[in-house]
Amino acid sequence: MGIRENIRNMPDFKLTEFRETLGEMMQLNDERGYAHFAGLHGLPLPAYCQHGDGRSPDLLFLPWHRAYLYFMELALQDINPNVSLPWWDWTSDTSHSEGLPEAYSFKEVDGVPNPLNEAAIPNWDDQIIRIVRMQLPGVISARGNPPRTLRDPDLPDELPRKATIDDIMLAPSYDDFSLRLENVHGAVHVWVGGSMSSVPVAAYDPIFWAHHCMIDRLWYLWQISAVGVPPPLSIINTVLEPFNVTAGEMLNISSLGYDYASQVIS
Ligand SMILES: [Cu+2]
């Protein structure tokens, strides 16, 4: 059973293990590699991710991203079975004074670039660039996509507040919970800025995974709370492409083989 931890609670040796494993994954240029997984979300097309428009919920937002994290984590564990994805609690006091977790923000460790700080965005071939320019104007500039992820974070205290999340955790229906959580999730993407604020390239930024783990954890906590309910039956048999799993198979994290550590430091 893999235990996902708060990045700020992770002992140094675990953090080092996670960082090195992600670094190794970034060296793989095939279907086991970081760029392959990052590319499933948006670019290169087809963009598989499931998001709403901010007004009505996309019922697949939560299960699709749970599957995404799950397969990403399995790929990491193929390299090192002791590694799990950490989560970033952007509501914590530390986040509200320091912003991004230090583990993700420093540039190098002993002269070696920190794989949690940024990642390469592959050069897509001309055909992909032409399609993207047509379908997603503004994403790729005249000079092409930036070769590495960028961030432009806002002020730490502008991150979503714990009170906002506490209120969402009382949402009485799946639709309501999913919509409100997705909107807060979007605000964090915008807060980080740069690549994270652009759906087509967001998943290349290593902080994406810690952010989405926080979202997945909140869904889990709501699921086991007194008000948590399953998603509508209409989506249970929906296959979460490109993964060969259904939304219904994503509802129980212990059957997926992972758990969330309890919060120690807020
Ligand atoms: Cu997201």
Side-chain angles (χ1 to χ4, degrees):
M1 166 81 64
I3 309 287
R4 295 182 181 173
E5 291 182 87
N6 182 331
I7 184 77
R8 294 199 208 266
N9 291 347
M10 259 168 122
D12 279 351
F13 80 95
K14 292 221 88 176
L15 186 56
T16 304
E17 214 173 23
F18 171 62
R19 186 187 298 119
E20 289 176 354
T21 307
L22 197 72
E24 275 183 57
M25 195 179 175
M26 287 175 178
Q27 304 302 318
L28 302 174
N29 293 317
D30 54 25
E31 296 210 334
R32 301 166 303 154
Y34 185 83
H36 169 76
F37 278 88
L40 296 175
H41 190 264
L43 289 179
L45 298 171
Y48 289 106
C49 69
Q50 298 284 342
H51 291 104
D53 58 7
R55 290 180 298 277
S56 52
D58 183 321
L59 299 178
L60 297 176
F61 168 70
L62 293 169
W64 189 87
H65 285 84
R66 177 166 285 174
Y68 192 33
L69 296 176
Y70 172 72
F71 286 101
M72 169 70 173
E73 190 167 66
L74 286 185
L76 279 169
Q77 290 170 349
D78 269 347
I79 302 172
N80 181 341
N82 299 324
V83 164
S84 294
L85 292 169
W87 84 79
W88 167 35
D89 181 357
W90 21 257
T91 68
S92 72
D93 291 348
T94 320
S95 290
H96 277 250
S97 63
E98 291 175 9
L100 287 163
E102 199 202 348
Y104 283 84
S105 55
F106 62 86
K107 297 225 175 300
E108 27 172 83
V109 202
D110 303 331
V112 180
N114 176 9
L116 302 182
N117 183 54
E118 51 155 28
I121 302 179
N123 260 320
W124 297 300
D125 64 32
D126 290 350
Q127 198 190 350
I128 292 180
I129 291 184
R130 234 175 299 126
I131 297 171
V132 171
R133 283 222 172 91
M134 263 172 359
Q135 295 190 357
L136 304 161
V139 167
I140 298 180
S141 71
R143 284 171 293 134
N145 59 292
R148 304 199 63 85
T149 55
L150 302 166
R151 295 176 187 152
D152 181 19
D154 291 331
L155 296 173
D157 204 32
E158 290 171 1
L159 282 163
R161 304 196 167 274
K162 191 164 177 308
T164 308
I165 297 299
D166 288 346
D167 197 49
I168 292 175
M169 296 304 275
L170 300 173
S173 73
Y174 180 85
D175 291 36
D176 188 41
F177 178 76
S178 176
L179 176 64
R180 289 163 68 196
L181 188 61
E182 185 177 351
N183 286 344
V184 171
H185 135 273
V188 176
H189 274 278
V190 171
W191 182 93
V192 176
S195 311
M196 272 283 277
S197 60
S198 166
V199 171
V201 291
Y204 288 92
D205 187 329
I207 196 68
F208 172 95
W209 307 92
H211 170 41
H212 267 275
C213 255
M214 172 71 173
I215 296 297
D216 187 65
R217 172 177 164 268
L218 293 173
W219 180 26
Y220 162 70
L221 292 174
W222 181 76
Q223 284 185 295
I224 61 169
S225 76
V227 294
V229 288
L233 281 174
S234 60
I235 70 158
I236 295 299
N237 292 320
T238 304
V239 175
L240 304 171
E241 285 186 58
F243 312 111
N244 193 19
V245 294
T246 61
E249 288 170 320
M250 290 298 113
L251 302 184
N252 181 345
I253 69 168
S254 55
S255 74
L256 295 173
Y258 69 88
D259 200 357
Y260 283 102
S262 51
Q263 183 83 292
V264 183
I265 300 170
S266 75

